Amino acid sequence: MVIEKKINTASVTLKSLDPLDHSLELLHFGFRGLTVEADRFLEARGLSRVHHRILYVIARADAISIGELATTLGVSNQALHRPLSHLFEQALVQYSRDPGRHRFKLLALSEAGTALEAEATELERQTLRDAFATTDAEGQEAWRRVMRALAEQLN
């Protein structure tokens, strides 16, 4: 595998058990490559990938409740509790009450949360821009079709 030298610092040889294994490895390690710079940026601030996913969704949703956020991320409310609490503690996420449904907290990013999310996401965008620059428009569209087909498995 071409990328084996960069991803395999433990000197473990991954054998292929199926013709699609190479594609699975590319997907797994490709995602890690996409997020590596953003993850370093977040780690320096005591945050992780899960925090960024939460910030990313809140930044793009209008008046999202905790339950809606959990559903969108595909996690339980319980799994969301700790990282979301951490974001509240760091004043990156704030909430208001829904006037029509006073029991529901509507989430929004603070000014600091907006800035942090934008910077972390821009690091990923730049990595994606650089990767897309290695192929033509047809190759980029083929990649989008594959990603869309994979995402459709969630429905």
Side-chain angles (χ1 to χ4, degrees):
M1 178 189 324
V2 174
I3 60 174
E4 190 161 330
K5 291 176 189 163
K6 293 191 180 223
I7 62 170
N8 198 356
T9 58
S11 298
V12 174
T13 302
L14 298 179
K15 61 184 173 186
S16 184
L17 303 177
D18 185 275
L20 287 174
D21 285 357
H22 182 68
S23 295
L24 289 171
E25 291 167 23
L26 287 172
L27 184 62
H28 173 74
F29 292 111
F31 181 75
R32 283 182 51 197
L34 172 69
T35 63
V36 68
E37 291 300 322
D39 287 348
R40 284 186 190 128
F41 168 77
L42 293 163
E43 184 178 11
R45 285 145 186 86
L47 301 171
S48 67
R49 169 95 342 251
V50 69
H51 295 103
H52 185 221
R53 289 180 64 216
I54 292 167
L55 295 170
Y56 184 92
V57 171
I58 294 172
R60 286 155 183 79
D62 292 326
I64 189 169
S65 71
I66 293 172
E68 291 166 331
L69 177 61
T71 299
T72 300
L73 293 173
V75 300
S76 68
N77 283 12
Q78 184 177 1
L80 187 58
H81 179 75
R82 176 175 260 160
L84 188 56
S85 294
H86 193 210
L87 293 171
F88 282 130
E89 290 165 8
Q90 290 197 12
L92 298 171
V93 173
Q94 53 200 16
Y95 72 88
S96 60
R97 295 286 181 181
D98 184 342
R101 304 178 304 170
H102 69 280
R103 291 179 50 225
F104 289 86
K105 294 178 182 176
L106 299 179
L107 305 173
L109 299 185
S110 65
E111 193 172 310
T114 299
L116 188 134
E117 185 281 328
E119 193 164 347
T121 299
E122 185 54 34
L123 289 167
E124 292 177 352
R125 284 188 195 112
Q126 189 55 53
T127 301
L128 199 53
R129 279 186 205 100
D130 294 346
F132 276 157
T134 68
T135 189
D136 59 11
E138 187 177 304
Q140 293 173 29
E141 183 53 35
W143 179 84
R144 286 184 187 95
R145 284 194 308 269
V146 169
M147 292 296 108
R148 198 173 298 116
L150 292 173
E152 283 296 320
Q153 298 301 308
L154 298 172
N155 293 329

